Amino acid sequence: MKLSIIIPTYNEEEYLPKLLYSIKEQEFKDYEIIIADAGSTDSTKEIAKLSCTKVINGGLPAVGRNNGAKIAEGEYLLFLDSDVVLSAGYLESAIEEFEEKELGIAITQIIPLSDSNVDKVLHKFANFFMKRAESIKPHGAGCYGILTTKILHEKAKGFDEELDFGEDSDYIERIAKISTFKVLRNPRLLVSTRRLEKEGLKDLAFKYTKSTIYDFRGKKISAEDLDYKFGHEKNDNFSSKPRIIYAACGEGMGHAIRTSVVLKHLKQENDVVVFASSRAFEYLSGKFDNVYEIYGFNTVYEDNAVNDKKTFIKAMKNLPRDVKDNIKLLYNIANEFKPELIISDFEFYSNILSKIIRVPMISIDNMHVITHCKIDVPRKYSRDKLKAEGVVRSFIMLPQKYLITSYFYPEIKNPDKVSIFPPILRNEILNLESLKEDHVLVYQTSTSNSKLIEVLKKVDENFIIYGFDCEKVDENLIFREFNEDQFFKDLGTCKAVLANGGFTLISESIYLKKPVLSIPVKGQFEQILNAIYLERLGYGEFHEELELDVVEQFLNKLDTYSESLKSYKQDGNKAILKELDHLIKIYSK
């Protein structure tokens, strides 16, 4: 193993998750993490264990670092304080420069986790001072990150455990005498300013100035002399509930419905702020508090087909306003709310926010089956597939985990980052008694589909139709305006469903053992994919056009599809909600 990262902790539940997240985001992967905990009374140890780190007994920083080094398997040792954050590429850059310059021990330059100009100036001065002094008096602190080799650590007999302050500078100086010390020029470490905020500039500056003077004079100073304490007492005024931003795409109703189920679960044990656009905002704001409206992207449909040109023009026309207003709203609320985790149901701007404020993100949707699973579709849909992959990849970039919902289970490309679960279903569907009466449910998203009406009138069957925004009866057709309770009743008692390729309705229909005739929107690859696998599983049929013979053929095979549907099993939403709870424990404090 190349590197062992050793972190002493005491009551660091607020800061440790951010450090662990920044480590796991590094492209360099040949490392282990060792947490040396000094008996934390908060959830520090639990957070560490959930993040698959080694957790050992620590003490004061010198003791914790030495204990970590004893079990370390890496060629190099990196000692970090628990309230720092690694910049992108930090590990690779640090080791590369360390090896190129043939160093024995090194520290890195620091950047404050603060927007204060005073903080930035102070840290720039600190970097300048450390570089100027590196050849005169090698010294540093854990907040700079200390990189050395295990061989040199053992040769120097580790940190001096008799010292309760300045043990890091003492350690650097002793190893520098038998090797070469430098301040690394390339990597940067983001450091907390919590001591500065708590103790004030004047008091903290006095403590560090005094300790530096003593250090340069070769004299030792104790933590008691400086009134310095390792770690932090548990803050009982700090909310014990994880703080989560949840964002939902407003395209269609599927994202909103899935989000409503997850929110009902999350709000029991978490503080949640919600962002949603279009129909998702309308739906969610009527059910939950703290729901904020943002702008979103919307596809333009004409004659049951995607109009790519009009969709692009509409998106580009609104993009400058959307970006400015959305990011401003999201950032301002996040700055006040201080989220520990972002969960996104295919919502573009939450993805940007995650990168800006450096908060981990979990993706939960059905869309990523397109990009993260090995799907098999006919060649004629290759262009639609390629277009869909580009959209999906641009909407959500590099979350910590992809939770994909699906009623079909293709092979996953990267099982370490991706998991597939059954569709998330509303309680009303889970509790709905499935009966078989004398009607077919029709769900239509276009109010101008006159061909549908013409075809269905020729079929000797009763149809209950949603999507035309009217209440009337026309021969064998019953038109209904959308009402959730009535829709559940009609879905639960229908003999079959006729719809486009929308994921949510197909999923609910399959759960209720209702055969589905799917006519996907042309050019909408996600719907095409849903319909392809629906037919392969024997749960219904996929057709590109709705014709009289298509409907009659489908209705004549209902018994066959019903038999196939008997094999479908789903244990509610338990599995995915359990995994979500597990991930929240890992990525929140």
Side-chain angles (χ1 to χ4, degrees):
M1 183 174 290
K2 191 77 168 179
L3 178 68
S4 295
I5 302 171
I6 301 167
I7 308 165
T9 60
Y10 178 68
N11 287 345
E12 295 291 356
E13 64 177 10
E14 183 176 354
Y15 290 91
L16 183 61
K18 298 178 177 65
L19 171 56
L20 296 177
Y21 160 55
S22 71
I23 294 172
K24 292 183 184 298
E25 283 298 285
Q26 300 288 308
E27 291 186 8
F28 179 89
K29 299 296 183 185
D30 190 12
Y31 64 79
E32 64 178 348
I33 304 173
I34 302 171
I35 302 294
D37 188 74
S40 292
T41 57
D42 63 1
S43 60
T44 297
K45 287 185 286 187
E46 288 72 20
I47 291 167
K49 290 174 182 177
L50 286 170
S51 298
C52 300
T53 65
K54 295 180 181 178
V55 181
I56 61 172
N57 291 329
L60 289 174
V63 176
R65 289 168 181 153
N66 285 339
N67 288 352
K70 288 176 186 176
I71 67 164
E73 298 178 15
E75 175 187 355
Y76 295 102
L77 305 180
L78 175 61
F79 298 101
L80 296 173
D81 282 356
S82 56
D83 58 353
V84 302
V85 173
L86 305 191
S87 58
Y90 177 90
L91 295 180
E92 184 176 10
S93 176
I95 290 175
E96 182 179 303
E97 186 176 346
F98 191 91
E99 291 181 334
E100 283 181 357
K101 295 181 178 178
E102 299 181 344
L103 303 178
I105 190 162
I107 61 174
T108 49
Q109 298 179 71
I110 55 176
I111 300 172
L113 285 165
S114 168
D115 293 326
S116 167
N117 289 328
V118 173
D119 292 344
K120 292 175 182 177
V121 169
L122 289 174
H123 285 73
K124 282 184 179 179
F125 175 76
N127 290 332
F128 171 78
F129 177 79
M130 300 300 275
K131 286 185 289 186
R132 291 299 297 268
E134 67 184 0
S135 60
I136 304 170
K137 180 71 173 178
H139 72 293
C143 65
Y144 288 89
I146 301 172
L147 180 61
T148 189
T149 69
K150 185 166 184 179
I151 291 175
L152 285 172
H153 173 86
E154 292 175 345
K155 192 171 183 178
K157 297 183 180 180
F159 290 83
D160 186 343
E161 296 181 10
E162 296 297 317
L163 300 178
D164 59 7
F165 187 87
E167 78 291 337
D168 31 25
S169 281
D170 171 77
Y171 177 78
I172 290 170
E173 186 174 358
R174 286 189 287 112
I175 293 183
K177 288 179 180 179
I178 56 175
S179 66
T180 304
F181 167 78
K182 281 285 185 183
V183 178
L184 299 178
R185 284 357 188 215
N186 295 323
R188 295 291 190 275
L189 200 58
L190 307 173
V191 299
S192 167
T193 58
R194 61 180 176 179
R195 285 196 183 273
L196 182 59
E197 294 166 1
K198 180 179 179 181
E199 300 183 29
L201 175 59
K202 183 178 178 180
D203 288 347
L204 195 63
F206 172 77
K207 290 179 182 180
Y208 281 107
T209 300
K210 184 177 180 180
S211 68
T212 301
I213 292 171
Y214 269 60
D215 190 26
F216 269 69
R217 293 173 62 188
K219 298 176 67 177
K220 305 301 181 186
I221 191 169
S222 70
E224 183 179 357
D225 292 334
L226 293 172
D227 190 26
Y228 182 95
K229 294 181 180 179
F230 165 57
H232 296 266
E233 295 303 318
K234 184 176 180 181
N235 185 356
D236 292 328
N237 294 323
F238 192 79
S239 173
S240 61
K241 289 186 175 182
R243 298 181 301 281
I244 300 169
I245 283 181
Y246 203 110
C249 172
E251 178 83 355
M253 284 299 294
H255 303 282
I257 290 170
R258 179 167 49 233
T259 296
S260 70
V261 177
V262 179
L263 286 177
K264 188 173 181 180
H265 172 78
L266 291 184
K267 281 181 169 285
Q268 297 176 39
E269 301 293 339
N270 306 277
D271 289 333
V272 187
V273 169
V274 184
F275 294 92
S277 60
S278 305
R279 296 173 68 189
F281 170 75
E282 295 174 8
Y283 182 79
L284 296 171
S285 61
K287 295 177 176 290
F288 303 99
D289 296 327
N290 297 322
V291 180
Y292 295 86
E293 184 173 18
I294 56 176
Y295 298 111
F297 297 99
N298 292 105
T299 306
V300 177
Y301 299 98
E302 289 184 349
D303 299 324
N304 203 43
V306 176
N307 189 313
D308 290 329
K309 182 178 179 180
K310 289 187 177 180
T311 298
F312 179 78
I313 292 172
K314 182 179 180 181
M316 291 302 100
K317 179 181 178 181
N318 295 330
L319 188 62
R321 176 206 65 181
D322 293 0
V323 171
K324 178 183 176 183
D325 292 355
N326 285 352
I327 296 301
K328 182 179 179 180
L329 175 64
L330 284 161
Y331 182 81
N332 287 342
I333 291 176
N335 193 44
E336 181 178 344
F337 183 59
K338 300 192 184 309
E340 298 161 294
L341 178 67
I342 294 174
I343 302 175
S344 180
D345 192 321
F346 205 59
E347 201 292 306
F348 175 73
Y349 292 99
S350 57
N351 172 68
I352 297 176
L353 179 68
S354 170
K355 306 304 181 284
I356 292 174
I357 65 175
R358 295 177 175 271
V359 169
M361 180 175 68
I362 296 170
S363 167
I364 179 168
D365 59 47
N366 62 293
M367 301 295 294
H368 280 90
V369 73
I370 296 171
T371 53
H372 286 76
C373 296
K374 297 178 181 179
I375 53 176
D376 178 26
V377 298
R379 182 174 296 179
K380 66 178 181 178
Y381 299 116
S382 295
R383 184 178 178 183
D384 292 327
K385 179 176 181 286
L386 190 63
K387 181 177 67 175
E389 286 176 339
V391 171
V392 172
R393 292 187 191 280
S394 65
F395 261 58
I396 303 293
M397 292 175 283
L398 301 175
Q400 277 51 63
K401 188 78 173 181
Y402 295 91
L403 305 184
I404 298 175
T405 59
S406 180
Y407 53 83
F408 54 95
Y409 297 89
E411 182 182 350
I412 298 171
K413 294 179 181 178
N414 183 2
D416 290 337
K417 290 205 70 170
V418 182
S419 299
I420 294 187
F421 297 89
I424 294 175
L425 302 174
R426 291 173 277 188
N427 285 334
E428 291 87 348
I429 296 295
L430 294 173
N431 298 327
L432 192 61
E433 183 181 7
S434 183
L435 304 172
K436 187 177 178 181
E437 296 183 359
D438 192 29
H439 69 268
V440 175
L441 179 82
V442 181
Y443 189 86
Q444 176 63 38
T445 56
S446 173
T447 59
S448 61
N449 194 344
S450 58
K451 182 180 179 180
L452 172 71
I453 306 304
E454 294 172 6
V455 170
L456 295 184
K457 280 187 176 181
K458 296 176 183 178
V459 181
D460 185 21
E461 191 64 72
N462 296 317
F463 297 92
I464 296 179
I465 304 173
Y466 285 85
F468 283 82
D469 297 328
C470 64
E471 289 272 353
K472 67 177 183 180
V473 177
D474 185 2
E475 299 180 18
N476 62 326
L477 312 181
I478 301 173
F479 293 85
R480 296 203 201 279
E481 292 183 349
F482 189 79
N483 175 283
E484 204 167 44
D485 292 335
Q486 184 63 52
F487 179 80
F488 291 143
K489 181 179 178 182
D490 292 335
L491 177 60
T493 56
C494 70
K495 63 170 65 174
V497 173
L498 192 163
N500 52 37
F503 177 78
T504 299
L505 181 54
I506 290 180
S507 300
E508 293 177 343
S509 301
I510 290 173
Y511 178 79
L512 295 170
K513 318 296 186 188
K514 309 292 183 181
V516 180
L517 173 56
S518 176
I519 315 293
V521 172
K522 295 180 181 64
Q524 228 286 22
F525 181 74
E526 181 251 334
Q527 291 197 8
I528 294 170
L529 183 66
N530 294 336
I532 287 172
Y533 277 91
L534 169 82
E535 184 168 272
R536 286 179 184 171
L537 290 166
Y539 299 159
E541 295 182 16
F542 160 40
H543 294 277
E544 293 182 343
E545 300 286 349
L546 183 69
E547 305 290 351
L548 178 59
D549 63 330
V550 166
V551 180
E552 291 178 336
Q553 170 188 295
F554 169 69
L555 293 174
N556 288 333
K557 294 183 178 179
L558 291 186
D559 289 342
T560 301
Y561 301 135
S562 295
E563 188 64 28
S564 297
L565 283 162
K566 288 180 181 179
S567 64
Y568 183 81
K569 305 292 183 183
Q570 179 173 343
D571 186 18
N573 305 314
K574 293 179 181 178
I576 192 167
L577 294 180
K578 181 180 179 181
E579 176 65 9
L580 196 56
D581 289 342
H582 171 69
L583 293 172
I584 289 170
K585 287 181 180 179
I586 291 175
Y587 292 113
S588 64
K589 66 177 181 63

